[in-house]
Amino acid sequence: MTRASTQRTPVLDSHRAVLRSSFVDWLVDMEPADVVDVGTGQGDLVASLQERGVRAFGFESSVERVERAKGLERPVEHGNAEALDMPDNGASWVTLRHVLHHLKRPEFAVREALRVARDGVMLAEPITRTALPMHAPAVRMDDALRALDRARGVHHDEDLSPARLVALLPPSARIDVRMIAPMTRLPPAEVLTLIEHSAGGLPIQRPEQEGLAIALEAAEAGWLAPAGSVMVACRLR
């Protein structure tokens, strides 16, 4: 699996930290005995859980990110979301946060998470709403950035909707959905950094140029917010 690398910028890092904190707060409220985070990257979520006194471990498909996590002394190992090296019911909770849109077969990853989890599975995906004025240009920006990633051969699908996330889970489970959408103002300089990162030196085609121009204009006016997060908790018992 090849997936887009996460571009780190100051405002985006702060925004993502708020989203991650909301996810962790909700998960900790459910008193997990331990958590396995799938697609953990460099282990930021694992570290946040450990800071809250929760035993946590991560799997990541990128060797580079696993090495980065180990350099930060975080318990992260190389793994495949569709075939986790864990027994049935081997963890209290399994999480897949902002991962599924990077997978060609997200339903297989959720099925595997359900196999491993005893108590529950928690999912999250980025979400933008055109009804929110600061999100309307962000939708155009996100569409364009995904297209740029794909042009470089990176697998980057549309974000999974709340309805699709729920549909991946067993109907017999207790399922709750929450959304957080902080209206963080994304500055033009960070938008340019995102564009440069996703383009990777390739020319930008007209449809993407138009969407990115709209996003830049909104950012210059202080009217562009990054995607929020939709979170789905599936309690299995």
Side-chain angles (χ1 to χ4, degrees):
M1 175 188 70
T2 302
R3 78 184 212 196
S5 58
T6 301
Q7 182 62 27
R8 307 187 76 96
T9 61
V11 173
L12 267 181
D13 276 357
S14 176
H15 179 81
R16 288 167 179 155
V18 171
L19 301 183
R20 185 171 60 250
S21 178
S22 293
F23 187 92
V24 169
D25 286 347
W26 193 14
L27 181 55
V28 169
D29 283 346
M30 290 180 278
E31 300 181 343
D34 54 80
V35 175
V36 170
D37 185 40
V38 181
T40 195
Q42 66 177 22
D44 290 342
L45 181 60
V46 170
S48 294
L49 287 165
Q50 289 180 322
E51 289 169 2
R52 299 287 296 274
V54 177
R55 288 189 293 123
F57 178 87
F59 285 109
E60 170 57 42
S61 65
S62 164
V63 174
E64 178 185 354
R65 293 181 186 181
V66 171
E67 291 305 313
R68 197 181 307 157
K70 290 184 180 299
L72 294 168
E73 298 184 344
R74 295 170 178 174
V76 174
E77 297 293 339
H78 186 263
N80 180 349
E82 296 183 10
L84 299 175
D85 185 18
M86 292 196 68
D88 294 356
N89 308 124
S92 174
W93 280 76
V94 178
T95 56
L96 290 128
R97 183 178 175 276
H98 292 199
V99 171
L100 294 176
H101 61 281
H102 291 301
L103 303 178
K104 293 181 179 179
R105 304 188 298 182
E107 65 278 9
F108 283 67
V110 174
R111 186 183 306 169
E112 182 68 349
L114 290 166
R115 179 189 70 80
V116 170
R118 291 191 308 277
D119 300 317
V121 169
M122 193 158 166
L123 311 176
E125 278 284 280
I127 190 168
T128 47
R129 293 298 196 196
T130 53
L132 298 174
M134 290 178 70
H135 269 187
V139 171
R140 298 293 301 273
M141 179 181 72
D142 290 348
D143 286 346
L145 293 177
R146 276 191 289 265
L148 294 178
D149 281 341
R150 292 168 187 154
R152 291 189 293 113
V154 173
H155 186 82
H156 196 166
D157 278 340
E158 302 295 319
D159 301 329
L160 279 69
S161 68
R164 189 174 175 200
L165 290 172
V166 170
L168 292 172
L169 298 167
S172 59
R174 177 184 169 187
I175 297 173
D176 297 303
V177 180
R178 296 181 183 179
M179 186 179 79
I180 177 172
M183 293 294 103
T184 305
R185 286 180 168 81
L186 191 62
E190 294 201 8
V191 175
L192 289 170
T193 298
L194 293 174
I195 295 170
E196 180 181 355
H197 175 75
S198 289
L202 295 178
I204 301 175
Q205 303 303 314
R206 181 179 295 275
E208 287 72 52
Q209 287 178 356
E210 293 173 354
L212 294 171
I214 289 170
L216 273 170
E217 183 178 353
E220 288 165 358
W223 209 244
L224 176 69
S229 186
V230 58
M231 304 175 291
V232 180
C234 171
R235 295 173 176 88
L236 299 174
R237 62 178 187 175

